[in-house]
């Protein structure tokens, strides 16, 4: 895998993304369920910050991509928040202005498809 390929993939993540849909534990939850939260995820370099509607920051961390996997893999490690020092194994797909990722709870195996099972969450984000 070339350095340029990795740099290009990382570049695609940069900026702010607004969550538009999600699913948890195999149940599609209406966006209204999180309407007061309205999470936004901002990627800068290999770091991320999640902010919510009231302006607070419940989660910060780092991420590592492996776009050579099928599906593409991403590991999120929280450095701030309730799950600080935990790593969440996930898969992702990024097509222009839509980023979808499915993450397992800390300590669980990486998901293999974009449909959640118990202990997994799927979030659909649109570039803000």
């Amino acid at each position: 895998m070339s350095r340029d390929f990795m740099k290009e993939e990382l570049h695609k993540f940069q900026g702010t993304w607004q969550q538009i849909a999600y699913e948890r534990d195999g149940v599609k939850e209406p966006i209204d369920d999180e309407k007061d939260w309205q999470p936004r995820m901002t990627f800068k370099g290999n770091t991320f910050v999640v902010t919510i509607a009231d302006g607070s920051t419940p989660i910060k961390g780092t991420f590592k991509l492996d776009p050579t996997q099928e599906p593409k893999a991403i590991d999120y490690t929280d450095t701030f928040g309730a799950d600080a020092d935990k790593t969440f194994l996930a898969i992702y797909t990024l097509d222009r202005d839509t980023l979808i990722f499915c993450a397992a709870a800390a300590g669980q195996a990486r998901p293999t498809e974009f449909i959640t099972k118990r202990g997994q969450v799927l979030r659909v984000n649109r570039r803000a």
Side-chain angles (χ1 to χ4, degrees), residues 17-20 31 34 37-41 50-53 123 125:
W17 300 80
Q18 176 71 52
Q19 180 178 296
I20 57 172
I31 197 68
E34 286 189 355
W37 197 43
Q38 299 173 351
R40 295 169 75 86
M41 194 170 203
V50 175
T51 55
I52 56 177
R123 296 187 183 273
N125 302 275

Side-chain angles (χ1 to χ4, degrees), residues 21 24 28 70 78 81 96 98 105 110 118-119:
R24 181 184 307 275
K28 288 184 180 173
E70 186 56 49
D78 290 5
R96 294 187 199 145
T98 303
R110 185 181 314 277
R118 187 161 178 73

Side-chain angles (χ1 to χ4, degrees), residues 5-65:
F5 174 71
M6 283 300 293
K7 195 173 180 180
E8 184 179 313
E9 192 72 3
L10 182 64
H11 179 74
K12 292 177 188 176
F13 275 79
Q14 305 304 293
T16 300
W17 300 80
Q18 176 71 52
Q19 180 178 296
I20 57 172
Y22 73 104
E23 176 180 310
R24 181 184 307 275
D25 299 324
V27 178
K28 288 184 180 173
E29 300 181 61
I31 197 68
D32 291 350
D33 206 43
E34 286 189 355
K35 71 180 183 314
D36 295 332
W37 197 43
Q38 299 173 351
R40 295 169 75 86
M41 194 170 203
T42 301
F43 294 95
K44 184 176 182 181
N46 71 333
T47 65
F48 70 91
V49 175
V50 175
T51 55
I52 56 177
D54 68 6
S56 66
T57 301
I59 305 167
K60 292 181 185 179
T62 60
F63 69 101
K64 183 178 171 189
L65 301 175

